[in-house]
Amino acid sequence: MLGEGARTAADADNYFKAYADAIAAVGKFQAAGKFPRPSGISVKLSALHARYEMAQRERVMKEMVPRLVALCEQAARHDIPLTIDAEEADRLQLSLEVATALLDTASIDGWNGLGFAVQAYQKRAPVVIDFITELARAKNRRLMVRLVKGAYWDTEIKRAQERGWDDFPVFTRKAGTDVSYLACVKRMLGASEWIDPVFGTHNAMTAAHILELTREPGRIEFQRLHGMGEELHQLIRKEGFGTGVYAPVGNHEVLLSYLVRRILENGANSSFVHRLYDRSIPIEELTADPVAEMEAYAQKSHPLIRRAPQLYEPQRKNSQGLDLADPFVTGPLLNEIEEFAKLPAAYVPAASAADLKDMFGAAQRNFTSWTRVPVDIRAKYLERLADLIEKHRSELMSLLIHEAKRSIPDALSEVREAADNCRYYAMRAREDFRIYDLPGPTGERNQIRLVGRGVFACISPWNFPLAIFLGQVAAALVAGNTVIAKPAPQTPLIAWRVKQLIYEAGIPGDAFHLAPGGPEVGQQLIELPGLAGVVFTGSFATARKINLTLAQKDGPIIPFIAETGGQNALIVDSSALPEQVVDDVVLGSFRSAGQRCSALRVLYLPEATADKILTMLIGAMLELRIGDPAKLENDVGPVIDKAAQEKLLLHVERLQSEAKQICAVPLARECDSGTFVAPQAWEIPAIGWLEGEVFGPILHVIRYHPGILNRVIDEINATGFGLTGGAHSRIESTVRHIERDLAVGNFYVNRSLIGAVVGVQPFGGEGLSGTGPKAGGPHYLPRFATERVTSENLTAAGGNASLLIAASK
Ligand code: FAD
Ligand code: NAD
């Protein structure tokens, strides 16, 4: 059944019905003898549940398995086989649990028609076959296994890199997959008592190998995709094997993306079908033995496909991620997080005016000694700090979850961002703080270099209390400044713990000072005479206040680096894929309860497809789970505090009287006790109707006619903010048009607006959104430093020695 997988409960209902209808139709045709051979059905589990993912395991077992059982019962009645397709690697574990549950179901006990697809490109494939064999043996029934190589290879590679996993779940050499396939074939043939083998391949060499290994062709079936491998199957049939066709079913809308996928797969250089039709490839190469090929490689993994840890080498180490779909990872992680939460919280007193004065005195006195520490050593401190951050990952995640109300995936990505910040600025500092020679007349040496400025004030918000707090501090320190950092009053514990790690990394205590407290402490900090610079992240209103204060101070005019809010808009056109739009909108607007500066605030939908997208969006929103962020199954936690909640609810009141509600996710009883705000979407007349940034899980939607695209862009620009923005379109010229005209710091195409990665998507806005330079980008550190140039007359000692020597050669 073609399609993108269910995003909503209604999608899942429709797919369920479509599968049930298909089983009935196939059963009827079969009974009437209209098929030349017995036929069955393949089911994608992601179509039967909108949240078919490990984090929603309980729901899947409770809600999806009964549906699957119903389909199996129906298939059993019609006596047709049902095979469960294999999908993404992070769903494998869950699918095996589903398989186990199915085999425990009495109503389909005597039925031998159940089958599972196994992907040979996954490194776990042979073990999966063993598992299925064991399952069949334990339940005393035969199971069908359809061995395929796997259709999501590129997705798996990208995901593993993005998520920072140590290794890939799939092989990176094509021959590796081919060898794995053969190993699985052997295992399947060896388990003939329990397994009915089916081989899905269009590769004649793979098929030939199977032919060689087989003693009983009559027991084995080959299958191919409709439209491919017909000649191969003709030959195979002559050898006495059964053959079958896997035929996609669906309407023209979903067919297109399936066909594009096929073209990509068959067009790949590594594809057998592609090579078969390439006359320049000799037959010997086409029929090369994959085992010999793998043996010949000194390096078994593909050298051009970097594992996540090596992604940025040799410049820097990447931060480490975790597979949150792996219960062997999440089990211990959740335990540790809980254990840390039980520890008594430290009391972090606010800094007094006297404290600030003392801190400033110490920071000022120690500036010279710190700034003279060679940049390479300063960079090493940061690298050590990054390692410490990762070493204490569970503890920091625990603090992030309990103090800042971050969800588990958010907490993990924030720890990664903090470590990345340290390593990236260490790397940049070594580059930026070198002495550079400048061209000039002979007999003279001209050099430029960067040096620290003095005491820097770092003021950060609560919404990234680790990554932004530490990012500012790391940059200021490595640039040779001493630092007084003021965290947000909502998140002092995280800051306190990071302070200890900063010292543990070896950074001298007098180079870094923590000044906890609220706005008053911040105000006193920036008023300190002699401050050399201020770096700030927070709201525009605060940035403005700080700017005014600094302007009125005596003494030198100092740098002020400000990163502020946004009015982030996404423009969708009618060519965009609705499922992709909905995925990215849900992620961009509601992840972190919308409390990211980059979050999507205003969604522009084209009149032609708005209703369709909104229907799907409502369904997807209703699938969100809201609750305690310490639980893996919850997608959205509370907002930071009562004040934030009240401010958001006030905005909702205005929406109620002036806008049209699209959806508000009902909150469960458990949310009554926390500062929860329901994820919600409202249709508003224009972006200008908003009075400022709405910092929470509230999405605003505006319909537009494609004819006024320029006006839409002008309206967004007219807000004055310029942080993130995006386009969802499959028309290249539309994307380039919006990219050119939309004045935003970070522009995202066909993806969500959140999740900028250090060094990969340097982050920061323009206009009301910030002064620049971008955090995590190549121009950040120089802003924390001052430039000095030395010009030296080399002839002063009596003559231009180097010129005379050069000329004499
Ligand atoms: P080949 O050209 O020999 O192999 C191509 C395959 O090799 C790629 O698809 C990829 O898997 C692998 N590969 C390519 N490059 C590399 C590399 N650098 N490193 C490692 N591996 C590489 N797919 C699913 O995922 N789930 C299913 O449930 C499923 N059901 C199917 C059912 C049938 C009946 C058939 C015929 C196919 C099914 N497929 C399924 C699709 C299947 O995965 C692909 O058609 C198959 O991978 C193509 O392999 P091949 O042996 O025909 O061709
Ligand atoms: P906020 O402006 O209220 O506070 C930010 C920090 O400034 C806090 O530490 C606060 O105590 C301090 N502060 C307040 N008044 C001060 C003063 N007069 N002098 C000195 N310091 C003062 O912001 P917030 O509510 O903590 O954070 C949310 C805001 O941050 C949102 O607007 C969001 O968009 C923005 N933000 C921007 C980025 C970015 O990179 N552009 C990143 C994260 C958050």
Side-chain angles (χ1 to χ4, degrees), residues 217-266:
R219 283 193 48 249
I220 289 166
E221 179 165 317
F222 279 84
Q223 291 182 355
R224 60 181 176 84
L225 297 177
H226 174 73
M228 290 174 64
E230 289 174 43
E231 298 93 333
L232 178 67
H233 271 204
Q234 278 172 17
L235 293 171
I236 285 172
R237 271 198 297 276
K238 283 193 196 145
E239 303 284 330
F241 292 87
T243 57
V245 182
Y246 183 95
V249 182
N251 61 25
H252 71 280
E253 267 179 61
V254 282
L255 185 64
L256 182 67
S257 48
Y258 172 79
L259 291 178
V260 170
R261 195 70 231 153
R262 289 272 80 78
I263 290 169
L264 282 178
E265 183 181 302
N266 296 334

Side-chain angles (χ1 to χ4, degrees), residues 459-464 468 486-490 517-524 526 536-543 545-546 549 563-566 596-598 601 693 695 723 763-765 769:
I459 300 176
S460 49
W462 50 265
N463 74 326
F464 279 91
I468 291 183
K486 195 204 80 65
Q490 294 88 342
E520 333 69 56
V521 178
Q523 184 67 32
Q524 286 164 8
I526 56 166
F536 166 84
T537 308
S539 61
F540 174 74
T542 309
K545 225 184 264 176
I546 296 176
T549 305
E563 306 255 2
T564 55
R596 289 180 181 233
C597 52
S598 52
R601 308 290 178 207
E693 185 188 32
F695 209 63
L723 194 54
F763 186 79
S769 297

Side-chain angles (χ1 to χ4, degrees), residues 5 68 178 189 202 223 244 279 375 438 462 486 493 513 525 579 593 600 604 613 675 718 732 795 809:
L68 192 55
D178 289 342
L189 296 178
H202 314 100
Q223 291 182 355
R279 299 219 169 266
V375 64
L438 301 168
W462 50 265
K486 195 204 80 65
L493 292 177
H513 302 265
L525 172 60
E579 284 85 356
L600 169 62
Y604 281 89
I613 291 175
T675 50
E732 178 70 11
T795 64
K809 277 184 187 155

Side-chain angles (χ1 to χ4, degrees), residues 86 119 149-151 171-174 177 201-203 265 272:
Q119 296 156 325
K149 287 181 189 165
F171 294 99
T172 48
R173 298 235 196 220
K174 166 70 165 66
T177 295
T201 178
H202 314 100
N203 183 324
E265 183 181 302
F272 179 85

Side-chain angles (χ1 to χ4, degrees), residues 42-44 83-88 116-122 146-154 156-157 170-178 181 198-207 222-226 228 232-233 244-247 258 261-262 265-266 268-275 302 305:
S42 290
V43 176
K44 269 197 178 49
T83 309
I84 294 176
D85 276 342
E87 301 183 60
E88 291 87 346
F116 299 98
V118 175
Q119 296 156 325
Y121 66 15
Q122 284 209 46
R146 175 199 286 147
L147 185 66
V148 299
K149 287 181 189 165
Y152 307 83
W153 183 77
D154 47 344
E156 301 294 355
I157 297 292
V170 296
F171 294 99
T172 48
R173 298 235 196 220
K174 166 70 165 66
T177 295
D178 289 342
Y181 196 95
V198 170
F199 299 115
T201 178
H202 314 100
N203 183 324
M205 191 59 193
T206 307
F222 279 84
Q223 291 182 355
R224 60 181 176 84
L225 297 177
H226 174 73
M228 290 174 64
L232 178 67
H233 271 204
V245 182
Y246 183 95
Y258 172 79
R261 195 70 231 153
R262 289 272 80 78
E265 183 181 302
N266 296 334
N269 285 337
S270 59
S271 151
F272 179 85
V273 174
H274 180 82
R275 289 155 59 94
H302 200 296
I305 305 173

Side-chain angles (χ1 to χ4, degrees), residues 16-43:
F16 175 75
K17 194 170 169 306
Y19 278 124
D21 289 351
I23 292 171
V26 172
K28 209 167 105 191
F29 265 61
Q30 190 114 294
K34 288 194 184 164
F35 284 139
R37 50 179 307 285
S39 294
I41 185 146
S42 290
V43 176

Side-chain angles (χ1 to χ4, degrees), residues 544-689:
R544 196 167 169 275
K545 225 184 264 176
I546 296 176
N547 200 29
L548 289 173
T549 305
L550 296 180
Q552 280 169 359
K553 281 174 78 171
D554 286 335
I557 294 167
I558 60 172
F560 176 42
I561 305 162
E563 306 255 2
T564 55
Q567 197 62 284
N568 313 313
L570 170 65
I571 305 175
V572 174
D573 80 359
S574 55
S575 73
L577 192 67
E579 284 85 356
Q580 224 169 53
V581 173
V582 167
D583 286 352
D584 291 336
V585 169
V586 169
L587 187 70
S589 288
F590 307 122
R591 176 121 183 220
S592 320
Q595 301 171 109
R596 289 180 181 233
C597 52
S598 52
L600 169 62
R601 308 290 178 207
V602 183
L603 171 66
Y604 281 89
L605 292 178
E607 280 163 5
T609 55
D611 286 332
K612 182 176 178 185
I613 291 175
L614 289 179
T615 305
M616 198 182 287
L617 177 65
I618 294 168
M621 287 174 68
L622 295 175
E623 290 295 320
L624 285 170
R625 294 200 50 164
I626 298 114
D628 180 0
K631 292 189 180 153
L632 201 51
E633 66 265 29
N634 287 332
D635 304 294
V636 181
V639 297
I640 187 70
D641 55 20
K642 196 103 200 121
Q645 186 191 31
E646 278 165 9
K647 197 169 163 202
L648 289 165
L649 294 181
L650 214 62
H651 177 67
V652 171
E653 272 177 31
R654 182 172 173 233
L655 285 164
Q656 272 161 348
S657 63
E658 295 175 38
K660 188 175 144 210
Q661 189 180 69
I662 296 164
C663 175
V665 181
L667 294 180
R669 288 276 293 280
E670 67 161 293
C671 296
D672 289 351
S673 58
T675 50
F676 288 91
V677 173
Q680 48 198 287
W682 294 81
E683 212 168 316
I684 59 166
I687 195 168
W689 178 88

